[in-house]
Amino acid sequence: MNKLFILAVFLCGSILYPRPAPAADAAHGKALYRVYCTQCHGLSGDGKGINAPQLSVQPRNHRDRAEMSARTDDDLFKAIKEGGQAVNKSILMPNWDGNMTDAEIHDVVAYLRELCCAGAK
Amino acid sequence: MRKVIALGGAALMTALSVTSALAAEAPASIQKDCAVCHQMSGPVSPDLAARQTRKGPPLFFAGNKFRRDWLEAWLQKPTRIRPAGDFAPDHAAKGPEGDAVDAASLSDHPVVDAPAAKQIADYLMTLTPNAALLAKEDYTPGRVSARIGAMDFVKFKGCSGCHKDTPKYGGFSGPELYTAWQRLQPPFIVSYIRDPAAWEPRTLMPNKHLNTAGIHKLANYLRTIGEKPEKAK
C-alpha cells in the first residue's frame, strides 16, 4: 500500500510538473541559422536566399509574424530535424538531424521566434 | 575585393618549382602552400566557427576523394566548382529581389604549371586516411536514364535545392554536380551521400538516410550527366 501510494504521488507529480523544454540559446541559434539556413531562407530570413530563385517551392519567410505564429515550436523543431515532408511540406526542405543535435535545433527554433516575433510582446 | 587567397599564382609556381634532387622536400612545400586555404591534416573540427571561417575544402583525404588525372588537369586550369564559394553566406549580398552571389568577393584558385600540378596530384593521392570508409562501399557504376535521374535528383530527393545538375539549373550553395563524376572517385560519391558527417563534421550536406539502392541511383545519375559530353563526340 505504501509503495502504491508513493508511485501514485510520483506519477501525479510528473503530470503536474512536466519536464520543461531545454533552455534554448537564440544567439547560438543565430549562428547555426547563418551556416545552415540562410542559403535558402536568406541572410535576413526573408525567404530570398541565393538558392531561392531556382526552387520550385519558395522558402518560408521567417520574418512573417502571422505565418510563423501559426506554427508551434514543436512544428518548427520537427520541420528542421526531419525535413519538410515530415510536416507535409516540400522535399526541398532537408532534414538537418545529421548536422545539428536536438539541442542545437532548439536553439534555431528560439532564434526563429526572435526573427518573426521580437517586439510583439 | 577581399583576397581570400593571399598566395599568387606566380609565387606558387616559384615555390613549387623543385628539382628532382629536391623531390623529397616536395610534400613539405606542397603542405605549406596548400595549407594557406586547405586543411592538410585531420581531423575536421566539429566547431561551428571552423566551418564558418574555412576557405577551401579539406585536402587531408584528397587521395580518398579526387580522381588523380582530373586533379592534375584542373590545377593547371582551375574553374569554380562552388558557385557561391566554400561558405555561401560570406559570398551572398542582399539585392532588391533577394540575395545573390557576390561575384566580386570570390577569389580564383592559383594556376599551377604542368610539372608542379603533376607533383601536387601525385602527393595528394597519397593522402588516404579514410580508406576504411570507402571499403564499406560496394558500388558498381550503372546506368539511369537522364530523365528518370533528373526527376529523382530534383523532385524526389530535392538535391537541386543546393546543387546544379546542369550549368543552368539548380542551387548555388553547393558544389556543381554536373562535373562530379569527372572529379570524384565513385566510392567517395556513394560514401559521402550515405553519411556526409562521417567525412566532415559540420558539413553543410544533410544526411537523407537513403538506402543503398537510392544512393546508387543518385551516383548513377551523376555518371549519366557527367559522361554526357563524351557521347556528343
Side-chain angles (χ1 to χ4, degrees):
Chain A
M1 179 59 71
N2 256 350
K3 291 182 179 178
L4 286 178
F5 177 74
I6 292 170
L7 179 61
V9 169
F10 175 78
L11 288 175
C12 288
S14 296
I15 294 169
L16 292 173
Y17 302 101
R19 180 174 297 178
D25 179 353
H28 187 232
K30 182 176 184 178
L32 290 161
Y33 187 90
R34 182 165 189 270
V35 171
Y36 294 113
C37 310
T38 59
Q39 54 194 318
C40 296
H41 290 279
L43 294 172
S44 64
D46 59 359
K48 298 180 179 178
I50 59 173
N51 291 337
Q54 296 281 333
L55 297 173
S56 55
V57 177
Q58 288 301 287
R60 174 81 57 204
N61 176 358
H62 291 143
R63 307 185 75 90
D64 185 334
R65 179 176 298 177
E67 184 65 43
M68 293 297 286
S69 296
R71 276 151 182 77
T72 67
D73 285 357
D74 281 349
D75 290 336
L76 300 180
F77 180 88
K78 187 173 184 181
I80 297 167
K81 177 169 180 174
E82 299 176 28
Q85 288 194 315
V87 292
N88 299 313
K89 299 296 181 182
S90 173
I91 184 75
L92 292 168
M93 171 62 186
N95 52 295
W96 291 106
D97 56 311
N99 307 82
M100 290 186 272
T101 64
D102 283 5
E104 289 176 327
I105 294 173
H106 283 296
D107 291 348
V108 174
V109 171
Y111 176 63
L112 290 175
R113 290 305 180 199
E114 288 194 355
L115 264 182
C116 72
C117 306
K121 300 174 182 177
Chain B
M1 172 167 148
R2 183 167 65 89
K3 277 291 185 180
V4 175
I5 302 176
L7 190 63
L12 182 62
M13 282 188 278
T14 300
L16 294 177
S17 296
V18 297
T19 67
S20 57
L22 297 175
E25 295 183 18
S29 65
I30 293 170
Q31 281 270 349
K32 181 181 177 186
D33 291 322
C34 295
V36 172
C37 297
H38 298 280
Q39 186 176 347
M40 301 303 291
S41 60
V44 174
S45 169
D47 292 341
L48 193 67
R51 185 61 186 88
Q52 291 174 302
T53 55
R54 200 177 91 173
K55 297 174 184 173
L59 291 182
F60 67 89
F61 53 83
N64 293 131
K65 177 178 180 180
F66 296 113
R67 295 181 189 257
R68 189 204 165 286
D69 288 349
W70 170 84
L71 187 59
E72 182 179 354
W74 182 85
L75 286 167
Q76 297 173 65
K77 196 174 184 181
T79 58
R80 188 170 311 290
I81 292 165
R82 297 166 184 249
D86 194 64
F87 185 59
D90 280 349
H91 303 288
K94 292 206 66 64
E97 295 180 359
D99 301 347
V101 177
D102 176 16
S105 71
L106 295 167
S107 298
D108 294 332
H109 192 276
V111 173
V112 181
D113 65 14
K118 179 181 187 304
Q119 200 157 45
I120 294 170
D122 285 343
Y123 171 69
L124 290 180
M125 287 300 109
T126 69
L127 306 181
T128 56
N130 292 343
L133 281 174
L134 298 184
K136 292 178 182 178
E137 300 297 344
D138 179 14
Y139 170 61
T140 302
R143 296 284 181 183
V144 64
S145 81
R147 183 175 177 183
I148 296 296
M151 189 172 294
D152 189 44
F153 186 88
V154 176
K155 297 294 184 183
F156 297 151
K157 297 190 173 72
C159 307
S160 62
C162 297
H163 296 285
K164 290 181 175 294
D165 62 336
T166 75
K168 294 186 176 179
Y169 185 76
F172 293 90
S173 57
E176 70 191 32
L177 292 188
Y178 52 91
T179 59
W181 192 256
Q182 281 79 15
R183 296 188 279 111
L184 306 171
Q185 297 171 34
F188 172 82
I189 292 172
V190 172
S191 179
Y192 200 84
I193 295 172
R194 188 182 302 282
D195 189 358
W199 289 87
E200 296 178 46
R202 291 305 182 192
T203 175
L204 303 185
M205 170 106 161
N207 183 338
K208 302 291 282 187
H209 307 301
L210 302 179
N211 61 25
T212 297
I215 295 171
H216 289 187
K217 189 172 184 180
L218 278 179
N220 291 342
Y221 177 57
L222 297 183
R223 179 190 185 194
T224 297
I225 59 179
E227 291 184 347
K228 195 178 289 184
E230 293 182 11
K231 295 183 177 180
K233 294 178 181 176

